[in-house]
Amino acid sequence: MSEKSELDAAGITDPALRQAYGRCRELNAEHGKTFFLATRLLSPAQRPAVHALYGFARRADDILDEVDPTRTDEQRARELTVLSDDLAAGLKGDKDTLDDPTLTAVIHTAQHYDLGWDLFDAFLASMRMDLTVTDYPDRAALQQYMYGSAEVIGLQTLPILGTVVPREEAAPHAAALGTAFQLTNFLRDVDEDLRRGRVYLPADELAAHRVDRELLSWCQIHGTTEPRVRSALREQHAMARQVYDEARPGIAMLTPQSRPCVSAALTLYSQILEQIERMDFQIFTGRATVGTARRLAVAGTGIVRAWAARLRSPAA
């Protein structure tokens, strides 16, 4: 279905809003290919709001990671503060954000689905941590970061997806799914994160395997995974699997038309985790990915389920 049809289905008629949502959709398609593929399984009316949340998250992430050596951390921090202030003012109706399509779309989505400022505030707080925090001493410290950077994403999408149980019952599973996705990214991107000066694995858990940043850097330089590092990564891998298990029961708590999308996303991301294991944790020589054929196969199954759900519930 085309962008125009999705916006029509969502009841978004204002030209400026349509343009803003369209830009968020473009960002999702360009930078979040697996996630974008999963969104195709949502009902057309749901997709623009999910694209808006992705577009805003991408907007904040670009402030942090955009390759520009002339920009200092202080400048990035100021840009995040401006973004936060503009969002807060826009949510209150005190600022015109039409010059920033990602803000325009996400503010409209937040107001439509009654998404609280506290979730956006927590997300931006974690983004600010990336400017000053490069290591996490233990799981509790990492969890604090992941609440804002991953769990709130699940909580923000929950009203869009809809539930067949009280929302607070489904919320822990939605939060767990966000965490599972991020733990997968942390394992897949150890090499890339090291190049940015960051390690997103708890230092005390690495130390239990006699692994530290210096040894990780040695692996990066030599393009290999040292046995102690492999052992530590295997433990992190097992923990990520447990979080997927915590998230999975939440799928049945969603409205039927949302289940195929979330099921496909869980399957595709967990297969990245499986690919890391198949690579024998050689994450310093290549990036674990799910092949196009496999992505399309999962999406094909999801499309059949999504259409069946919509036929059973035409109002969706």
Side-chain angles (χ1 to χ4, degrees), residues 13-316:
T13 57
D14 179 85
L17 272 178
R18 289 172 74 91
Q19 184 176 5
Y21 275 101
R23 177 55 183 152
C24 291
R25 188 182 191 273
E26 291 172 3
L27 289 171
N28 196 341
E30 181 180 356
H31 298 287
K33 291 181 173 57
T34 297
F35 184 73
F36 183 76
L37 183 63
T39 66
R40 313 311 298 151
L41 307 182
L42 291 172
S43 69
Q46 292 172 303
R47 296 173 197 168
V50 175
H51 295 325
L53 290 175
Y54 181 92
F56 177 73
R58 183 74 201 185
R59 171 87 163 77
D61 194 55
D62 283 347
I63 291 175
L64 296 173
D65 293 327
E66 187 179 25
V67 179
D68 184 353
T70 66
R71 293 167 66 243
T72 65
D73 285 347
E74 290 75 14
Q75 288 175 308
R76 297 175 199 271
R78 285 196 295 272
E79 289 177 33
L80 276 178
T81 298
V82 170
L83 180 65
S84 178
D85 291 346
D86 287 349
L87 175 61
L91 288 171
K92 295 176 184 176
D94 295 339
K95 182 178 175 60
D96 181 350
T97 60
L98 290 178
D99 60 333
D100 189 328
T102 56
L103 273 179
T104 299
V106 81
I107 287 169
H108 181 262
T109 290
Q111 292 171 337
H112 183 76
Y113 287 97
D114 194 24
L115 304 180
W117 163 250
D118 59 318
L119 295 178
F120 289 103
D121 191 36
F123 169 75
L124 291 166
S126 287
M127 296 302 97
R128 283 190 288 270
M129 288 174 67
D130 273 331
L131 294 174
T132 57
V133 181
T134 57
D135 298 88
Y136 293 85
D138 50 36
R139 179 69 50 176
L142 183 64
Q143 191 62 45
Q144 179 185 356
Y145 171 79
M146 287 194 296
Y147 172 73
S149 61
E151 289 188 18
V152 299
I153 306 301
L155 297 174
Q156 286 174 328
T157 56
L158 199 54
I160 302 167
L161 299 174
T163 61
V164 295
V165 300
R167 193 181 298 171
E168 58 270 18
E169 186 177 337
H173 301 286
L177 188 60
T179 297
F181 290 167
Q182 187 158 69
L183 289 173
T184 302
N185 288 338
F186 287 164
L187 278 170
R188 181 190 61 186
D189 298 336
V190 169
D191 182 52
E192 180 181 341
D193 290 334
L194 266 176
R195 296 184 193 282
R196 294 173 173 171
R198 304 170 190 161
V199 176
Y200 290 106
L201 304 175
D204 61 341
E205 294 173 14
L206 295 179
H209 298 268
R210 294 180 294 130
V211 174
D212 56 16
R213 178 187 278 265
E214 184 178 356
L215 183 57
L216 291 174
S217 297
W218 183 92
C219 292
Q220 184 179 63
I221 292 168
H222 292 85
T224 188
T225 302
E226 201 266 354
R228 287 171 291 175
V229 173
R230 182 179 292 106
S231 177
L233 294 177
R234 186 174 288 113
E235 181 181 64
Q236 298 297 314
H237 186 278
M239 291 181 181
R241 278 191 181 281
Q242 290 177 2
V243 181
Y244 277 104
D245 291 340
E246 294 169 13
R248 194 169 283 107
I251 295 175
M253 299 179 184
L254 301 174
T255 52
Q257 69 267 23
S258 296
R259 293 171 193 166
C261 167
V262 179
S263 179
L266 188 150
T267 297
L268 289 170
Y269 257 87
S270 62
Q271 287 183 356
I272 294 174
L273 206 61
E274 292 171 7
Q275 178 62 17
I276 292 171
E277 188 174 35
R278 281 195 292 269
M279 292 167 58
D280 195 26
F281 300 94
Q282 291 292 346
I283 55 173
F284 298 97
T285 56
R287 197 168 190 259
T289 59
V290 177
T292 300
R294 181 56 185 157
R295 289 204 306 272
L296 293 176
V298 171
T301 300
I303 287 171
V304 172
R305 292 175 178 170
W307 275 107
R310 289 175 210 164
L311 288 172
R312 287 193 296 270
S313 180

